[in-house]
Amino acid sequence: MKQRDKRVAFMTYFFMVGGLIGLLVSFLRLRHPGDDSWFWFTLSVQTVLFSLFFYVGYLFLNKENRRASELGIFIQVLQIFTFTAWGWSYYFAGGIGISLTYLLEPGALEFSAGVSDFVWDLVPKRRAKQVGINLFAVVILFILLKIRKAYR
């Protein structure tokens, strides 16, 4: 029972703090909108995702552990894979992101870590092709699956 409560407490703080940091990042993007014609669309998607991230923590805080774990699983699945190809890219990390990325053109592995970030380029830009996995999202996903199983 205590192990389950520690996991829920960790998830509460993880999702609430990660969501707040992500919303701050979204707000700060307003200072430099750039020349991307999709800016407002990607900013809206980013804001919705980080709001949902915070909402999961809110649900855990209010002891709605089953709903929180199910929504949290959905959000973590969105964070697992990252890619950049043919100028298009996608990366979403709420809370902590620890990614292992394989760059196809030089054939190298890249390890990166960060806090609450979102990149979704819909306007093709010249970038190296790469695929990656957010390792921390996988760990959080397994913890959420355990919580969901415990609160069935």
PDB file of all heavy atoms in Angstrom, residues 65-82:
ATOM      1  N   ASN A  65      -7.248   8.349  -9.227  1.00  0.00           N
ATOM      2  CA  ASN A  65      -6.050   7.680  -9.719  1.00  0.00           C
ATOM      3  C   ASN A  65      -6.277   6.881 -10.995  1.00  0.00           C
ATOM      4  O   ASN A  65      -5.390   6.807 -11.841  1.00  0.00           O
ATOM      5  CB  ASN A  65      -5.480   6.784  -8.631  1.00  0.00           C
ATOM      6  CG  ASN A  65      -5.053   7.589  -7.430  1.00  0.00           C
ATOM      7  OD1 ASN A  65      -4.642   8.730  -7.544  1.00  0.00           O
ATOM      8  ND2 ASN A  65      -5.179   7.009  -6.250  1.00  0.00           N
ATOM      9  N   ARG A  66      -7.434   6.273 -11.147  1.00  0.00           N
ATOM     10  CA  ARG A  66      -7.690   5.484 -12.358  1.00  0.00           C
ATOM     11  C   ARG A  66      -7.763   6.401 -13.589  1.00  0.00           C
ATOM     12  O   ARG A  66      -7.109   6.131 -14.590  1.00  0.00           O
ATOM     13  CB  ARG A  66      -8.970   4.684 -12.206  1.00  0.00           C
ATOM     14  CG  ARG A  66      -9.257   3.807 -13.403  1.00  0.00           C
ATOM     15  CD  ARG A  66     -10.428   2.869 -13.141  1.00  0.00           C
ATOM     16  NE  ARG A  66     -10.880   2.245 -14.345  1.00  0.00           N
ATOM     17  CZ  ARG A  66     -10.313   1.204 -14.926  1.00  0.00           C
ATOM     18  NH1 ARG A  66      -9.233   0.692 -14.385  1.00  0.00           N
ATOM     19  NH2 ARG A  66     -10.798   0.680 -16.035  1.00  0.00           N
ATOM     20  N   ARG A  67      -8.549   7.465 -13.518  1.00  0.00           N
ATOM     21  CA  ARG A  67      -8.649   8.402 -14.641  1.00  0.00           C
ATOM     22  C   ARG A  67      -7.306   9.052 -14.925  1.00  0.00           C
ATOM     23  O   ARG A  67      -6.921   9.224 -16.078  1.00  0.00           O
ATOM     24  CB  ARG A  67      -9.683   9.490 -14.349  1.00  0.00           C
ATOM     25  CG  ARG A  67     -11.101   9.033 -14.545  1.00  0.00           C
ATOM     26  CD  ARG A  67     -12.104  10.134 -14.324  1.00  0.00           C
ATOM     27  NE  ARG A  67     -11.796  11.346 -15.082  1.00  0.00           N
ATOM     28  CZ  ARG A  67     -12.228  12.549 -14.758  1.00  0.00           C
ATOM     29  NH1 ARG A  67     -13.007  12.714 -13.707  1.00  0.00           N
ATOM     30  NH2 ARG A  67     -11.919  13.603 -15.477  1.00  0.00           N
ATOM     31  N   ALA A  68      -6.595   9.420 -13.870  1.00  0.00           N
ATOM     32  CA  ALA A  68      -5.288  10.064 -14.034  1.00  0.00           C
ATOM     33  C   ALA A  68      -4.302   9.123 -14.718  1.00  0.00           C
ATOM     34  O   ALA A  68      -3.578   9.539 -15.635  1.00  0.00           O
ATOM     35  CB  ALA A  68      -4.746  10.505 -12.681  1.00  0.00           C
ATOM     36  N   SER A  69      -4.283   7.874 -14.293  1.00  0.00           N
ATOM     37  CA  SER A  69      -3.335   6.933 -14.900  1.00  0.00           C
ATOM     38  C   SER A  69      -3.682   6.668 -16.357  1.00  0.00           C
ATOM     39  O   SER A  69      -2.786   6.560 -17.203  1.00  0.00           O
ATOM     40  CB  SER A  69      -3.275   5.628 -14.103  1.00  0.00           C
ATOM     41  OG  SER A  69      -4.519   4.963 -14.111  1.00  0.00           O
ATOM     42  N   GLU A  70      -4.953   6.595 -16.696  1.00  0.00           N
ATOM     43  CA  GLU A  70      -5.344   6.345 -18.089  1.00  0.00           C
ATOM     44  C   GLU A  70      -4.977   7.526 -18.991  1.00  0.00           C
ATOM     45  O   GLU A  70      -4.431   7.338 -20.081  1.00  0.00           O
ATOM     46  CB  GLU A  70      -6.827   6.021 -18.180  1.00  0.00           C
ATOM     47  CG  GLU A  70      -7.145   4.653 -17.618  1.00  0.00           C
ATOM     48  CD  GLU A  70      -8.628   4.355 -17.511  1.00  0.00           C
ATOM     49  OE1 GLU A  70      -9.445   5.263 -17.776  1.00  0.00           O
ATOM     50  OE2 GLU A  70      -8.961   3.210 -17.162  1.00  0.00           O
ATOM     51  N   LEU A  71      -5.252   8.747 -18.558  1.00  0.00           N
ATOM     52  CA  LEU A  71      -4.881   9.919 -19.341  1.00  0.00           C
ATOM     53  C   LEU A  71      -3.358  10.065 -19.387  1.00  0.00           C
ATOM     54  O   LEU A  71      -2.784  10.422 -20.413  1.00  0.00           O
ATOM     55  CB  LEU A  71      -5.524  11.180 -18.765  1.00  0.00           C
ATOM     56  CG  LEU A  71      -5.300  12.480 -19.529  1.00  0.00           C
ATOM     57  CD1 LEU A  71      -5.766  12.370 -20.974  1.00  0.00           C
ATOM     58  CD2 LEU A  71      -6.014  13.631 -18.833  1.00  0.00           C
ATOM     59  N   GLY A  72      -2.707   9.766 -18.275  1.00  0.00           N
ATOM     60  CA  GLY A  72      -1.249   9.820 -18.234  1.00  0.00           C
ATOM     61  C   GLY A  72      -0.607   8.827 -19.192  1.00  0.00           C
ATOM     62  O   GLY A  72       0.398   9.137 -19.835  1.00  0.00           O
ATOM     63  N   ILE A  73      -1.188   7.639 -19.316  1.00  0.00           N
ATOM     64  CA  ILE A  73      -0.680   6.635 -20.262  1.00  0.00           C
ATOM     65  C   ILE A  73      -0.774   7.180 -21.683  1.00  0.00           C
ATOM     66  O   ILE A  73       0.173   7.072 -22.468  1.00  0.00           O
ATOM     67  CB  ILE A  73      -1.446   5.309 -20.109  1.00  0.00           C
ATOM     68  CG1 ILE A  73      -1.038   4.635 -18.801  1.00  0.00           C
ATOM     69  CG2 ILE A  73      -1.198   4.386 -21.299  1.00  0.00           C
ATOM     70  CD1 ILE A  73      -1.933   3.480 -18.384  1.00  0.00           C
ATOM     71  N   PHE A  74      -1.895   7.798 -22.019  1.00  0.00           N
ATOM     72  CA  PHE A  74      -2.069   8.384 -23.351  1.00  0.00           C
ATOM     73  C   PHE A  74      -0.997   9.442 -23.624  1.00  0.00           C
ATOM     74  O   PHE A  74      -0.367   9.460 -24.690  1.00  0.00           O
ATOM     75  CB  PHE A  74      -3.474   8.985 -23.472  1.00  0.00           C
ATOM     76  CG  PHE A  74      -3.683   9.788 -24.714  1.00  0.00           C
ATOM     77  CD1 PHE A  74      -3.806   9.173 -25.950  1.00  0.00           C
ATOM     78  CD2 PHE A  74      -3.746  11.170 -24.650  1.00  0.00           C
ATOM     79  CE1 PHE A  74      -3.988   9.923 -27.101  1.00  0.00           C
ATOM     80  CE2 PHE A  74      -3.929  11.926 -25.792  1.00  0.00           C
ATOM     81  CZ  PHE A  74      -4.053  11.302 -27.023  1.00  0.00           C
ATOM     82  N   ILE A  75      -0.764  10.315 -22.657  1.00  0.00           N
ATOM     83  CA  ILE A  75       0.218  11.381 -22.836  1.00  0.00           C
ATOM     84  C   ILE A  75       1.635  10.818 -22.934  1.00  0.00           C
ATOM     85  O   ILE A  75       2.442  11.285 -23.745  1.00  0.00           O
ATOM     86  CB  ILE A  75       0.093  12.421 -21.699  1.00  0.00           C
ATOM     87  CG1 ILE A  75      -1.221  13.185 -21.856  1.00  0.00           C
ATOM     88  CG2 ILE A  75       1.284  13.368 -21.691  1.00  0.00           C
ATOM     89  CD1 ILE A  75      -1.531  14.115 -20.738  1.00  0.00           C
ATOM     90  N   GLN A  76       1.942   9.794 -22.156  1.00  0.00           N
ATOM     91  CA  GLN A  76       3.282   9.212 -22.220  1.00  0.00           C
ATOM     92  C   GLN A  76       3.525   8.521 -23.560  1.00  0.00           C
ATOM     93  O   GLN A  76       4.623   8.581 -24.095  1.00  0.00           O
ATOM     94  CB  GLN A  76       3.492   8.228 -21.071  1.00  0.00           C
ATOM     95  CG  GLN A  76       3.589   8.885 -19.718  1.00  0.00           C
ATOM     96  CD  GLN A  76       4.599  10.000 -19.649  1.00  0.00           C
ATOM     97  OE1 GLN A  76       4.265  11.140 -19.405  1.00  0.00           O
ATOM     98  NE2 GLN A  76       5.850   9.691 -19.859  1.00  0.00           N
ATOM     99  N   VAL A  77       2.506   7.888 -24.105  1.00  0.00           N
ATOM    100  CA  VAL A  77       2.663   7.255 -25.426  1.00  0.00           C
ATOM    101  C   VAL A  77       3.004   8.307 -26.480  1.00  0.00           C
ATOM    102  O   VAL A  77       3.816   8.063 -27.374  1.00  0.00           O
ATOM    103  CB  VAL A  77       1.394   6.453 -25.802  1.00  0.00           C
ATOM    104  CG1 VAL A  77       1.397   6.044 -27.256  1.00  0.00           C
ATOM    105  CG2 VAL A  77       1.272   5.226 -24.907  1.00  0.00           C
ATOM    106  N   LEU A  78       2.416   9.505 -26.372  1.00  0.00           N
ATOM    107  CA  LEU A  78       2.727  10.587 -27.309  1.00  0.00           C
ATOM    108  C   LEU A  78       4.182  11.051 -27.194  1.00  0.00           C
ATOM    109  O   LEU A  78       4.724  11.647 -28.110  1.00  0.00           O
ATOM    110  CB  LEU A  78       1.807  11.784 -27.080  1.00  0.00           C
ATOM    111  CG  LEU A  78       0.346  11.611 -27.453  1.00  0.00           C
ATOM    112  CD1 LEU A  78      -0.438  12.865 -27.065  1.00  0.00           C
ATOM    113  CD2 LEU A  78       0.195  11.326 -28.937  1.00  0.00           C
ATOM    114  N   GLN A  79       4.814  10.768 -26.062  1.00  0.00           N
ATOM    115  CA  GLN A  79       6.171  11.234 -25.823  1.00  0.00           C
ATOM    116  C   GLN A  79       7.250  10.225 -26.174  1.00  0.00           C
ATOM    117  O   GLN A  79       8.417  10.585 -26.258  1.00  0.00           O
ATOM    118  CB  GLN A  79       6.346  11.584 -24.340  1.00  0.00           C
ATOM    119  CG  GLN A  79       5.517  12.736 -23.900  1.00  0.00           C
ATOM    120  CD  GLN A  79       5.775  13.033 -22.450  1.00  0.00           C
ATOM    121  OE1 GLN A  79       6.879  13.407 -22.085  1.00  0.00           O
ATOM    122  NE2 GLN A  79       4.766  12.866 -21.624  1.00  0.00           N
ATOM    123  N   ILE A  80       6.892   8.985 -26.385  1.00  0.00           N
ATOM    124  CA  ILE A  80       7.906   7.942 -26.530  1.00  0.00           C
ATOM    125  C   ILE A  80       8.769   8.130 -27.775  1.00  0.00           C
ATOM    126  O   ILE A  80       9.985   8.098 -27.704  1.00  0.00           O
ATOM    127  CB  ILE A  80       7.254   6.546 -26.501  1.00  0.00           C
ATOM    128  CG1 ILE A  80       6.725   6.280 -25.087  1.00  0.00           C
ATOM    129  CG2 ILE A  80       8.255   5.471 -26.899  1.00  0.00           C
ATOM    130  CD1 ILE A  80       5.973   4.984 -24.938  1.00  0.00           C
ATOM    131  N   PHE A  81       8.155   8.331 -28.926  1.00  0.00           N
ATOM    132  CA  PHE A  81       8.926   8.395 -30.171  1.00  0.00           C
ATOM    133  C   PHE A  81       9.124   9.823 -30.649  1.00  0.00           C
ATOM    134  O   PHE A  81       8.218  10.646 -30.553  1.00  0.00           O
ATOM    135  CB  PHE A  81       8.237   7.569 -31.260  1.00  0.00           C
ATOM    136  CG  PHE A  81       8.157   6.114 -30.919  1.00  0.00           C
ATOM    137  CD1 PHE A  81       6.966   5.558 -30.516  1.00  0.00           C
ATOM    138  CD2 PHE A  81       9.292   5.316 -30.977  1.00  0.00           C
ATOM    139  CE1 PHE A  81       6.889   4.215 -30.174  1.00  0.00           C
ATOM    140  CE2 PHE A  81       9.226   3.972 -30.636  1.00  0.00           C
ATOM    141  CZ  PHE A  81       8.018   3.431 -30.236  1.00  0.00           C
ATOM    142  N   THR A  82      10.303  10.088 -31.168  1.00  0.00           N
ATOM    143  CA  THR A  82      10.628  11.378 -31.770  1.00  0.00           C
ATOM    144  C   THR A  82      11.230  11.106 -33.145  1.00  0.00           C
ATOM    145  O   THR A  82      11.787  10.035 -33.382  1.00  0.00           O
ATOM    146  CB  THR A  82      11.643  12.157 -30.926  1.00  0.00           C
ATOM    147  OG1 THR A  82      12.893  11.472 -30.934  1.00  0.00           O
ATOM    148  CG2 THR A  82      11.172  12.306 -29.498  1.00  0.00           C
TER     149      THR A  82
END
